[in-house]
Amino acid sequence: MTARPATFHARRLHVVQGGQAVSDDPEVCLTTLLGSCVSACLWDETAGVGGMNHFLLPEAPDGASEGAATDRRYGVQAMELLINALLARGARRDRIRAKVFGGGRMTAGMMDIGARNAAFVRRFLNDEDIVVEAASLGGDAARRIQFWPTTGRARQHRVDGSGLAAQERPAAAPATGSGEVELF
């Protein structure tokens, strides 16, 4: 019998728009699906803890209700809440690293919200002195993201528009020649 990779048995937690998840469980894999939204995957490998958020807009619009100040759909709040959750689990700010994804231009001819989200997350992480180890921002494709929070390992799979519309329907990756198919 062939041994399966450790990720085969990983427990998947899906992060929805406006959501976040933090874990110190090495069996957890955080996932999300992005278009113009952005996900920041932050982790402290020494503490063995990490998390992912998924925000829709960089900031609340002018005149937004008072509740917008704590709304995780907006980048500032999503980033602050994720960092604070990591710190509460034993991470140290000086060891937190980042991988960021999303910010695609999903509709031509309309405001490029994805570019605004991408610019925001880069600026925020720079201002907070958080090292960005990898970034896949912009473009015109949706992305399925997998993130293992205790190690910082991440995987991205670009999907066409039909995959974005399906949101939760798993799409099989092309066969690798070995007969194995990996689901995203």
Side-chain angles (χ1 to χ4, degrees), residues 1-180:
M1 182 168 159
T2 306
R4 297 191 191 273
T7 58
F8 181 80
H9 295 290
R11 193 166 46 99
R12 296 181 190 273
L13 298 176
H14 189 73
V15 178
V16 298
Q17 291 178 343
Q20 77 172 31
V22 173
S23 180
D24 57 5
D25 182 346
E27 293 296 316
V28 166
C29 175
L30 305 177
T31 66
T32 198
L33 179 63
L34 302 168
S36 61
C37 295
V38 165
S39 279
C41 301
L42 305 180
W43 78 102
D44 175 342
E45 191 168 5
T46 302
V49 64
M52 171 192 281
N53 63 20
H54 181 148
F55 63 86
L56 287 74
L57 297 167
E59 58 204 14
D62 290 336
S65 69
E66 212 172 286
T70 58
D71 194 332
R72 289 183 284 194
R73 292 178 300 168
Y74 304 116
V76 172
Q77 292 81 0
M79 295 302 296
E80 290 293 341
L81 289 167
L82 180 56
I83 291 169
N84 288 338
L86 292 174
L87 296 174
R89 291 269 188 102
R92 280 193 9 210
R93 186 175 282 275
D94 63 317
R95 294 189 308 228
I96 294 175
R97 299 292 181 258
K99 292 183 181 176
V100 292
F101 303 92
R105 183 175 191 123
M106 304 312 297
T107 306
M110 296 186 73
M111 182 188 309
D112 192 353
I113 295 169
R116 289 180 48 217
N117 283 336
F120 164 79
V121 78
R122 286 184 188 278
R123 185 175 56 253
F124 182 94
L125 292 169
N126 182 61
D127 290 350
E128 294 294 318
D129 292 321
I130 295 175
V131 174
V132 177
E133 290 197 357
S136 177
L137 297 166
D140 60 2
R143 299 159 167 91
R144 289 186 191 276
I145 307 301
Q146 294 176 301
F147 176 65
W148 288 264
T150 61
T151 65
R153 179 175 168 230
R155 183 180 313 170
Q156 170 184 269
H157 176 73
R158 291 182 186 262
V159 294
D160 64 21
S162 63
L164 182 61
Q167 295 262 338
E168 299 298 323
R169 187 173 8 151
T176 61
S178 66
E180 293 180 11

